[in-house]
């Protein structure tokens, strides 16, 4: 927190931050997450854009995004929809092609990740010129709020197994709140073969393989406010398969 208060942003650095927001049935959450992003970027003074990648949401998420674009402007809200749900990894690949910033932030659109942490991500990146900065729920004052015991056990267990098998050198492998140098993200997504929840884990593992530097910022993760969690039995099975595949191939 202190770094955000004591280190004023270099507004003339020329840096621009592209926030990628993959969405599927997030019509209730999208207006608030966009408002919070505009608020915190506006206060920090950093140049930014928000790239909304909607995967054919049947609940009208794209129509809401269009209204937000009318409010905030086409230079701040970029709409890059796809016809159907094609997976988180491909959403980032699609989004980064349209990002005009030299840094890319990935986060969930369901309010699990609070934009108030973004200035800390940026300060951390500048501290040591990290290639990527990852939000961690498992270090410092990070934490998880709103999950039942089952979800906490699944998350902790997945993270523990990943640490034991892959030794990635980062404390939170399954989180999806991160800041990347754009060229680093492009390099990583070219190499990643996973889809869904395993994608985030593979990104960190590949980053270590390529000797990219990784910084961490403690974050509070809050369970989604509106809508239903997309974590189900199929995702858990896919995660286990992906973990074993990475263990065998890295």
């Amino acid at each position: 927190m202190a770094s955000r208060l004591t280190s004023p942003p270099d507004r003339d650095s020329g840096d621009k931050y592209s926030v990628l927001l993959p969405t599927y049935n997030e019509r209730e959450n999208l207006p608030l997450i966009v408002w919070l992003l505009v608020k915190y970027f506006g206060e920090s003074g950093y140049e930014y854009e928000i790239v909304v990648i909607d995967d054919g949401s049947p609940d009208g998420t794209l129509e809401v995004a269009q209204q937000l674009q009318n409010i905030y402007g086409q230079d701040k809200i970029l709409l890059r929809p796809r016809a159907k749900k094609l997976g988180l990894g491909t959403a980032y690949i699609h989004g980064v092609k349209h990002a005009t910033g030299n840094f890319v932030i990935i986060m969930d659109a369901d309010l699990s990740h609070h934009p108030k942490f973004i200035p800390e991500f940026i300060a951390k990146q500048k501290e040591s010129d990290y290639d990527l900065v990852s939000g961690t729920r498992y270090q410092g004052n990070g934490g998880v709020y709103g999950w039942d015991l089952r979800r906490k056990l699944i998350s902790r267990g997945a993270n523990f197994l990943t640490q034991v098998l892959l030794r990635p050198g980062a404390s939170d492998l399954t989180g999806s709140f991160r800041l990347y140098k754009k060229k680093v993200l492009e390099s990583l997504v070219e190499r990643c073969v996973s889809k869904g929840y395993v994608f985030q884990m593979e990104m960190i593992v590949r980053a270590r393989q390529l000797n990219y530097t990784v910084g961490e910022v403690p974050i509070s993760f809050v369970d989604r406010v509106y809508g239903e969690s997309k974590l189900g039995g199929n995702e858990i099975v896919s995660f286990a398969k992906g973990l074993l595949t990475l263990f065998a191939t890295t």
Side-chain angles (χ1 to χ4, degrees):
M1 190 65 69
S3 61
R4 183 169 63 190
L5 297 176
T6 59
S7 302
D10 180 4
R11 299 179 185 219
D12 299 321
S13 64
D15 292 330
K16 182 176 181 179
Y17 297 85
S18 299
V19 182
L20 303 188
L21 282 184
T23 58
Y24 187 77
N25 287 351
E26 299 290 359
R27 64 170 293 133
E28 294 100 339
N29 294 315
L30 191 60
L32 185 50
I33 192 69
V34 167
W35 181 81
L36 287 167
L37 284 165
V38 171
K39 168 182 163 62
Y40 284 98
F41 270 111
E43 291 176 356
S44 70
Y46 291 111
E47 185 68 23
Y48 72 97
E49 65 184 5
I50 302 167
V51 184
V52 179
I53 307 137
D54 186 64
D55 274 4
S57 296
D59 74 337
T61 299
L62 183 58
E63 287 75 9
V64 171
Q66 289 167 341
Q67 292 173 23
L68 292 169
Q69 188 180 57
N70 291 335
I71 294 169
Y72 296 109
Q74 294 185 8
D75 59 326
K76 294 301 182 188
I77 311 293
L78 281 66
L79 306 183
R80 298 295 181 264
R82 303 189 297 175
K84 60 182 180 178
K85 199 172 182 182
L86 298 170
L88 192 61
T90 60
Y92 291 134
I93 293 170
H94 180 73
V96 78
K97 289 177 182 176
H98 299 282
T100 63
N102 57 321
F103 288 95
V104 175
I105 294 167
I106 64 171
M107 62 189 300
D108 294 342
D110 62 6
L111 301 175
S112 298
H113 301 140
H114 201 299
K116 69 182 180 181
F117 293 109
I118 288 176
E120 295 179 43
F121 276 57
I122 294 172
K124 185 69 175 180
Q125 190 281 324
K126 292 183 178 299
E127 184 182 293
S128 297
D129 193 30
Y130 286 110
D131 293 310
L132 72 99
V133 175
S134 181
T136 176
R137 299 162 288 182
Y138 306 126
Q139 291 289 329
N141 59 355
V144 175
Y145 303 90
W147 275 3
D148 59 20
L149 182 60
R150 172 181 169 273
R151 286 290 301 273
K152 288 182 179 179
L153 288 174
I154 290 172
S155 179
R156 280 286 191 179
N159 208 61
F160 175 75
L161 281 173
T162 305
Q163 297 290 345
V164 170
L165 292 177
L166 303 179
R167 302 189 181 279
S171 64
D172 191 343
L173 277 295
T174 56
S176 53
F177 193 2
R178 295 177 185 163
L179 164 66
Y180 292 87
K181 291 180 178 177
K182 183 183 178 184
K183 62 183 180 181
V184 169
L185 180 58
E186 289 172 331
S187 172
L188 290 173
V189 295
E190 283 178 4
R191 292 169 170 80
C192 284
V193 296
S194 306
K195 292 184 174 64
Y197 292 92
V198 187
F199 176 81
Q200 305 293 3
M201 177 174 64
E202 185 177 355
M203 291 286 277
I204 293 285
V205 173
R206 300 293 181 198
R208 287 299 187 192
Q209 279 186 324
L210 296 169
N211 294 317
Y212 289 133
T213 54
V214 181
E216 291 190 310
V217 169
I219 63 165
S220 301
F221 177 95
V222 181
D223 197 22
R224 60 169 40 247
V225 178
Y226 299 108
E228 296 181 359
S229 170
K230 300 175 181 73
L231 177 65
N234 290 338
E235 284 74 20
I236 296 170
V237 172
S238 296
F239 176 86
K241 288 180 179 178
L243 176 58
L244 291 173
T245 299
L246 280 176
F247 178 65
T249 59
T250 59

